[in-house]
């Protein structure tokens, strides 16, 4: 019989080993992905352009409706919540500042990332995972085709382009939502509202949001691919890994958000 | 008999479990070698070593004079161009048409003109009896047709070795027999070395020139079909005569068997 201490340390040890192996595998994947995305094209192994465009359509274009609707609603909600506080101090026009700044710096990137993690991060994991369980990854390897170059790189490029693009759309539509509510329900002057938004926003707000979006895109791609490649069994595990990819990427997106927000707060 | 692949003292593990226990045999050149054995005997594992997807714990796999067990990626990439593999479920990429699937290895390893490539794709598909299916997607094909397309893709670069993992798995007997006939036909038309993993006896008697039998991770037999028929090894006789193992009645016994001792 194992003693309690043995069981306890055994448990810690096994989990530590699993964690380190996970980190090791993930860094290997990150290394290889960036190598095949940015270094090997310089050595005459170009990325797959058609596949990349196809991924861009799936990741970006197809997400535009849902991102727009959610951004519109969040813009309205933000305007209402801000008005609730600002009404008391009679500074309703500052609704424009709050809506503009919190959307561009924070809410648009994170909302977009969460939507895309749910739509595309999960589908990356499911696609790669089912290819793994159908031996399609093995088939690529035996044909001498690197699965990371073939599958992950087009997704990475698509994400790095489309997540910032979607975030810009969310910025715009969200601000539009706040504007619509302010000029109707809150009876603010449309011209003043626009002026106020323009004055409140500096380029830096928008750019920091887009930098975050770029980082979130990388995180979502890597997590989806990592979970997909981890599939060993059949359909059941594909399902489990797909779920895990969404949970992990949302978690990591928020961790990175915290990191970047602190960075921008203290150093900018 | 000229040797194409020589396997020496191959030992391999999944985690702590020893799956292949000191396996040694040779595969003759230009013939069809069948690797035979029950489920879980290690056939797929052995095949994955031969095509470089897994590295053994110890032992050698000599192919064209080099030991593929210790080759690095770059060296092995040269070997890869000379091997074609039909995976158990055909492993066609579902997002590509049949023609694009066959073109995959050509696009990766050759600088052929697109028009030349189209001609070659049509030739390969003709060969496996799939002419006219260029623009179909794998999901539109039956199981047997997928495997034929998989063979066309495996032959895209005119390899010296063609590997098959359970070609008749999941097929009805008629389709399976059709596939056996295709393997025979290809074997007569090309000077390739065929390595077929299977547990289907009718198929073995039809296509094999040479047989290797695996049993629970050991190579218990290597020889011709006639030698196989004449063998008096108990496990081989059970396999040939389709006899079952001793029935297990008590849960304790069953547990001991699945626990592996
Ligand atoms: N990826 C794996 N991880 C752990 N054990 C495995 C793995 N693949 C196969 N095995 C085990 O190795 C043994 C041999 O498997 P395999 O080579 O697939 O046999 P076969 O193809 O002859 O049915 C089986 O007991 C199987 O459970
Ligand atoms: Mg098998």
């Amino acid at each position: 019989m194992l003693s309690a201490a043995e069981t306890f340390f055994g448990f810690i040890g096994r989990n530590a080993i699993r964690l380190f192996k996970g980190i090791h595998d993930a860094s290997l994947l990150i290394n290889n992905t960036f190598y095949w995305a940015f270094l090997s094209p310089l050595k005459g192994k170009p990325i797959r352009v058609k596949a990349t465009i196809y991924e861009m359509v799936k990741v970006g274009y197809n997400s535009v409706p849902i991102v727009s609707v959610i951004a519109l609603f969040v813009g309205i909600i933000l305007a209402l919540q801000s008005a609730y506080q600002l009404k008391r101090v009679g500074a309703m026009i500052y609704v424009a500042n709050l809506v503009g700044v919190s959307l561009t710096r924070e809410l648009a990137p994170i909302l977009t990332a969460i939507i895309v993690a749910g739509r595309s991060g999960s589908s990356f994991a499911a696609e790669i995972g089912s290819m793994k369980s159908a031996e399609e990854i093995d088939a690529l390897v035996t044909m001498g085709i690197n699965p990371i170059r073939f599958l992950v790189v087009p997704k990475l490029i698509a994400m790095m382009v489309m997540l910032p693009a979607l975030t810009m759309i969310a910025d715009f539509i969200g601000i539009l939502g706040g504007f619509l509510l302010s000029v109707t329900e809150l009876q603010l002057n449309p011209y003043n509202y626009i002026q106020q938004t323009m004055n409140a926003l500096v380029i830096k707000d928008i750019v920091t949001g887009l930098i975050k979006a770029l980082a979130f895109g990388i995180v979502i791609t890597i997590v989806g691919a990592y979970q997909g490649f981890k599939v060993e069994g059949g359909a059941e595990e594909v399902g489990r890994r797909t779920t895990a990819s969404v949970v992990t990427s949302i978690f990591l997106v928020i961790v990175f958000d915290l990191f970047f927000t602190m960075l921008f707060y203290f150093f900018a | 008999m000229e040797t194409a692949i020589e396997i020496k003292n191959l030992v391999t593990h999944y985690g702590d479990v020893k799956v292949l226990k000191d396996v040694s045999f040779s595969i003759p050149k230009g013939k069809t070698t069948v690797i035979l054995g029950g489920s879980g005997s290690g056939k797929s594992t052995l095949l994955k070593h031969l095509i470089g997807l897994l590295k053994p714990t110890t032992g050698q796999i000599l192919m064209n004079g080099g030991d593929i067990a210790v080759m690095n990626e770059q060296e092995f990439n040269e070997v890869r161009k000379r091997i074609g593999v039909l995976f158990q479920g055909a492993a066609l990429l579902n997002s590509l048409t049949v023609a694009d699937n066959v073109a995959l290895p050509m696009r990766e390893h050759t600088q052929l003109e697109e028009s030349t490539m189209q001609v070659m794709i049509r030739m390969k598909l003709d060969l496996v009896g799939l002419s006219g299916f260029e623009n179909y997607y794998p999901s539109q094909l039956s199981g047997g047709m997928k495997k034929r397309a998989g063979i066309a893709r495996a032959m895209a670069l005119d390899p010296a070795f063609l590997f098959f993992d359970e070609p008749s798995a999941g097929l009805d007997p008629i389709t399976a027999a059709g596939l056996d006939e295709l393997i025979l036909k290809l074997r007569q038309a090309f000077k390739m070395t065929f390595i077929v993993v299977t547990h289907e006896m009718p198929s073995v008697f039809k296509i094999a020139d040479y047989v290797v039998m695996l049993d629970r991770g050991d190579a218990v037999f290597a020889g011709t079909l006639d030698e196989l028929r004449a063998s008096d090894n108990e496990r081989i006789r059970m396999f040939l005569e389709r006899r079952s193992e001793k029935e297990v009645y008590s849960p304790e016994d069953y547990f001991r068997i699945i626990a592996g001792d």
Side-chain angles (χ1 to χ4, degrees):
Chain A
M1 233 19 228
L2 288 177
S3 73
E6 277 174 315
T7 317
F8 176 71
F9 287 115
F11 174 80
I12 301 220
R14 267 191 305 279
N15 280 293
I17 289 171
R18 202 175 305 148
L19 179 70
F20 285 127
K21 185 156 179 356
I23 293 174
H24 174 258
D25 292 350
S27 15
L28 210 62
L29 174 66
I30 295 169
N31 251 337
N32 283 329
T33 307
F34 279 85
Y35 170 80
W36 289 105
F38 301 111
L39 289 181
S40 89
L42 303 177
K43 298 183 190 165
K45 266 245 177 253
I47 62 163
R48 300 170 63 224
V49 177
K50 254 206 252 168
T52 308
I53 294 171
Y54 176 73
E55 294 291 345
M56 281 182 177
V57 172
K58 276 206 302 188
V59 169
Y61 182 77
N62 293 348
S63 304
V64 170
I66 179 76
V67 167
S68 306
V69 171
I70 289 187
L72 185 78
F73 290 173
V74 168
I76 295 172
I77 294 167
L78 265 181
L80 277 171
Q81 297 284 26
S82 315
Y84 175 67
Q85 288 291 315
L86 291 169
K87 200 159 51 183
R88 301 197 222 169
V89 289
M92 286 289 263
I93 192 64
Y94 285 100
V95 167
N97 298 46
L98 280 175
V99 169
V101 172
S102 39
L103 268 172
T104 52
R105 288 184 71 103
E106 183 60 49
L107 285 169
I110 200 136
L111 282 173
T112 312
I114 289 174
I115 295 167
V116 172
R119 279 190 83 248
S120 307
S122 62
S123 91
F124 291 176
E127 182 190 332
I128 296 176
S130 53
M131 289 182 74
K132 183 92 191 287
S133 74
E135 296 184 302
E136 288 171 39
I137 304 284
D138 284 348
L140 285 174
V141 173
T142 53
M143 286 186 279
I145 299 171
N146 186 292
I148 291 179
R149 180 174 91 86
F150 196 84
L151 294 169
V152 186
V153 169
K155 294 177 171 37
L156 179 77
I157 307 278
M159 275 282 193
M160 288 174 73
V161 174
M162 293 323 270
L163 210 56
L166 286 169
T167 302
M168 278 199 274
I169 294 177
D171 284 345
F172 180 75
I173 307 259
I175 290 174
L176 181 70
F179 172 79
L180 291 179
L181 185 99
S182 301
V183 300
T184 53
E185 189 60 33
L186 307 180
Q187 297 178 336
L188 292 174
N189 179 302
Y191 178 75
N192 287 351
Y193 189 95
I194 293 172
Q195 269 304 314
Q196 187 74 15
T197 305
M198 300 283 225
N199 291 339
L201 284 184
V202 286
I203 291 294
K204 203 177 72 190
D205 295 328
I206 297 173
V207 171
T208 52
L210 297 183
I211 292 174
K212 280 183 183 177
L214 185 76
F216 297 163
I218 297 171
V219 169
I220 295 168
T221 314
I222 297 290
V223 170
Y226 175 83
Q227 294 290 355
F229 282 121
K230 280 272 150 176
V231 168
E232 293 286 348
E236 193 185 60
E237 210 194 337
V238 175
R240 226 162 38 75
R241 291 283 175 186
T242 306
T243 312
S245 81
V246 179
V247 177
T248 316
S249 50
I250 291 179
F251 175 74
L252 286 181
V253 158
I254 294 194
V255 170
F256 271 76
D257 189 26
L258 177 68
F259 171 75
F260 277 108
T261 309
M262 279 164 61
L263 204 69
F264 294 144
Y265 182 83
F266 290 115
F267 295 101
Chain B
M1 193 173 74
E2 211 180 332
T3 301
I5 305 176
E6 192 171 358
I7 292 130
K8 281 187 183 166
N9 308 102
L10 197 67
V11 176
T12 200
H13 295 78
Y14 283 121
D16 295 333
V17 187
K18 204 184 214 180
V19 184
L20 296 177
K21 309 161 186 163
D22 196 18
V23 171
S24 300
F25 63 90
S26 315
I27 292 174
K29 193 169 180 171
K31 300 226 151 63
T32 302
T33 298
V34 169
I35 297 174
L36 185 64
S39 324
S41 58
K43 303 182 297 292
S44 297
T45 306
L46 177 60
L47 185 83
K48 285 196 173 130
H49 282 86
L50 299 183
I51 58 180
L53 286 175
L54 292 177
K55 297 276 182 205
T57 317
T58 57
Q60 294 178 302
I61 301 166
L62 304 173
M63 204 186 236
N64 301 117
D67 181 2
I68 65 169
V70 294
M71 275 185 194
N72 64 28
E73 269 303 285
Q74 254 154 12
E75 293 169 318
F76 195 68
N77 249 338
E78 288 308 305
V79 179
R80 281 198 176 113
K81 292 178 198 168
R82 313 198 48 214
I83 65 182
V85 187
L86 172 66
F87 286 89
Q88 194 161 334
L92 301 172
L93 301 194
N94 284 311
S95 55
L96 302 179
T97 62
V98 169
D100 283 337
N101 264 290
V102 179
L104 270 178
M106 300 183 192
R107 297 220 160 95
E108 185 70 21
H109 294 293
T110 69
Q111 259 86 49
L112 293 175
E113 297 272 331
E114 187 59 34
S115 56
T116 322
M117 217 179 304
Q118 291 305 328
V119 173
M120 289 186 56
I121 292 167
R122 213 164 310 133
M123 274 165 48
K124 302 289 171 194
L125 287 177
D126 262 350
L127 208 59
V128 297
L130 278 185
S131 9
F133 285 92
E134 281 85 351
N135 296 320
Y136 279 60
Y137 281 90
S139 57
Q140 298 169 303
L141 301 182
S142 71
M145 287 156 87
K146 274 186 205 169
K147 296 219 173 179
R148 283 168 187 268
I151 295 177
R153 185 178 70 182
M155 293 182 58
L157 297 178
D158 296 317
F161 300 95
L162 209 45
F163 294 87
F164 299 76
D165 192 4
E166 309 255 1
S168 27
L171 299 181
D172 63 86
I174 300 173
T175 314
L179 218 58
D180 286 343
E181 249 143 51
L182 177 63
I183 294 175
L184 268 183
K185 186 185 101 179
L186 295 175
R187 154 87 173 68
Q188 274 148 16
F190 298 92
K191 282 169 126 176
M192 283 189 271
T193 302
F194 286 66
I195 294 109
V196 184
V197 161
T198 187
H199 60 250
E200 303 265 338
M201 285 320 289
S203 180
V204 177
F205 288 121
K206 195 151 160 192
I207 62 176
D209 299 315
Y210 195 77
V211 182
V212 175
M213 183 157 164
L214 283 188
D215 183 40
R216 297 173 228 165
D218 284 317
V220 292
F221 176 86
T224 61
L225 264 183
D226 290 332
E227 285 166 350
L228 180 75
R229 282 199 199 89
S231 167
D232 52 10
N233 178 309
E234 180 59 16
R235 297 289 296 178
I236 297 175
R237 300 254 41 106
M238 282 170 78
F239 213 91
L240 295 186
E241 290 155 21
R242 224 173 169 216
R243 272 189 282 132
S244 66
E245 295 203 54
K246 185 173 89 64
E247 293 278 348
V248 191
Y249 288 113
S250 78
E252 289 77 24
D253 282 349
Y254 183 67
F255 184 76
R256 221 175 295 126
I257 286 172
I258 58 174
D261 50 35

